[in-house]
């Protein structure tokens, strides 16, 4: 009798642990909806009561959230956990963007090196697909599509690094500081010469990863982020100079210059 009462608990915990692993490795992403209960039970080969117990464990741990009539979905992990007042303060100050790109330069160089050493055939396919999307967006000359394809390539590289801490931290930070980064990407992709440089740099990073060249991948990622950082500085400086010139022309809106 005792054994019968323990087994469902163990099965429910096994269900919870399996879904936790999928969340941790990025197979299930923040805000992604789960399959309906019936389909989940079939996929996991457990009874629906056992499934409910396992899902309840994950809800209690804050990993799943549910709304009446909408089923369960992965919680907004990272976006909430890392979005505290300090990160909100960082996101509200454009000057922090340079520090964020400095951080990315270090982390992504390492991630690219790991990806070159660890990428599976599926990872390589995703990197190739992301690079193809960059080429298509570049040919169409649509800045928003280029920026989205850029982000997808970097995400594919994080995943191919198979470093779960790096993946989750970069995913969370990119969400928390997305406004400044997206604005920066949008400005850069409006400049033809910058667009061409970025495409070439992305090609170099992807080629080194696909060739299994860890040192080359790290160096290519380092060169790319250093370029992005300098381009962001140049754009910000040009924008500041333009605003200063406009203020001078209008006396800052407070004078009576004729």
């Amino acid at each position: 009798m005792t054994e019968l009462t323990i087994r469902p608990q163990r099965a429910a915990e096994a269900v919870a642990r399996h879904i936790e692993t999928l969340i941790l490795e990025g197979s299930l992403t923040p805000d992604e909806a789960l399959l309906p209960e019936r389909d989940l039970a079939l996929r996991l080969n457990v009874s629906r009561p056992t499934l409910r117990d396992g899902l309840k464990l994950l809800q209690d741990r804050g990993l799943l959230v549910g709304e009446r009539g909408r089923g369960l979905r992965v919680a907004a992990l990272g976006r909430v956990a890392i979005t505290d007042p300090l990160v909100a303060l960082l996101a509200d100050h454009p000057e922090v963007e340079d520090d964020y790109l400095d951080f990315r330069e270090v982390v992504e160089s390492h991630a690219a090196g790991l990806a070159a050493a660890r990428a599976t055939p599926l990872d390589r396919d995703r990197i190739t697909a992301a690079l193809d999307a960059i080429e298509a967006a570049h040919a169409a000359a649509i800045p928003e599509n280029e920026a989205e394809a850029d982000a997808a390539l970097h995400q594919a590289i994080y995943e191919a690094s198979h470093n779960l801490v790096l993946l989750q931290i970069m995913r969370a930070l990119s969400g928390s500081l997305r406004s400044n980064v997206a604005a920066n990407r949008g400005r850069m992709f409006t400049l033809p010469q910058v667009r061409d440089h970025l495409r070439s740099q992305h090609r170099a990073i992807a080629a080194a990863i696909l060739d299994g060249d860890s040192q080359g991948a790290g160096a290519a990622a380092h060169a790319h982020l250093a370029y992005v950082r300098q381009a962001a500085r140049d754009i910000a400086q040009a924008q500041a100079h333009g605003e200063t010139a406009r203020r001078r022309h209008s006396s800052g809106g407070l004078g009576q210059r004729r």
Side-chain angles (χ1 to χ4, degrees):
M1 181 67 69
T2 302
E3 189 178 26
L4 291 176
T5 61
I6 291 175
R7 279 181 176 170
Q9 293 173 358
R10 288 180 176 172
E13 181 62 38
V15 166
R17 293 289 294 175
H18 180 70
I19 295 175
E20 279 182 345
T21 298
L22 295 179
I23 293 172
L24 180 61
E25 71 184 15
S27 297
L28 285 172
T29 59
D31 288 329
E32 183 173 355
L34 297 185
L35 292 172
E37 182 181 288
R38 179 179 178 181
D39 295 334
L40 274 178
L42 288 173
R43 291 284 180 90
L44 296 172
N45 194 29
V46 295
S47 68
R48 293 175 75 169
T50 296
L51 174 68
R52 292 189 196 109
D53 288 342
L55 297 177
K56 179 64 166 55
L57 290 173
L58 294 173
Q59 288 180 279
D60 292 343
R61 295 169 190 171
L63 295 174
L64 296 180
V65 294
E67 298 178 20
R68 184 177 297 276
R70 295 187 61 188
L72 291 175
R73 64 182 56 246
V74 180
L77 303 171
R79 300 173 195 175
V80 174
I82 299 187
T83 304
D84 64 11
L86 175 59
V87 174
L89 182 63
L90 292 175
D92 286 339
H93 287 262
E95 63 270 22
V96 172
E97 182 179 349
D98 188 74
D99 290 340
Y100 176 55
L101 289 171
D102 186 24
F103 170 76
R104 280 187 59 193
E105 186 178 329
V106 174
V107 173
E108 294 197 24
S109 297
H110 185 59
L114 290 177
R118 299 177 176 178
T120 67
L122 183 57
D123 292 325
R124 294 190 181 92
D125 288 344
R126 294 193 64 179
I127 289 171
T128 300
L131 191 61
D132 289 344
I134 286 176
E135 296 287 355
H138 186 276
I142 302 175
E144 295 81 4
N145 290 357
E146 285 190 272
E148 184 176 341
D150 176 319
L153 176 62
H154 287 283
Q155 178 67 26
I157 292 171
Y158 300 149
E159 293 174 0
S161 76
H162 291 276
N163 182 312
L164 299 184
V165 174
L166 185 153
L167 169 65
Q168 296 296 345
I169 288 177
M170 293 307 294
R171 177 178 283 170
L173 282 177
S174 66
S176 300
L177 302 177
R178 185 170 295 155
S179 58
N180 285 341
V181 175
N184 174 60
R185 276 204 188 103
R187 290 192 299 269
M188 285 194 294
F189 282 115
T190 61
L191 304 175
Q193 69 276 19
V194 174
R195 292 174 56 235
D196 291 340
H197 284 307
L198 292 175
R199 179 180 62 167
S200 296
Q201 291 161 9
H202 288 137
R203 284 174 172 173
I205 297 169
I209 292 173
L210 296 176
D211 287 343
D213 180 2
S214 294
Q215 186 173 353
H222 173 77
H224 168 59
L225 268 300
Y227 177 83
V228 169
R229 192 178 177 198
Q230 187 58 53
R233 288 173 178 171
D234 293 344
I235 291 170
Q237 186 178 60
Q239 186 175 12
H241 288 170
E243 291 172 356
T244 299
R246 284 190 291 273
R247 287 195 299 270
R248 286 175 181 156
H249 181 72
S250 65
S251 301
L254 300 179
Q256 299 185 45
R257 183 177 301 170
R258 295 179 181 177

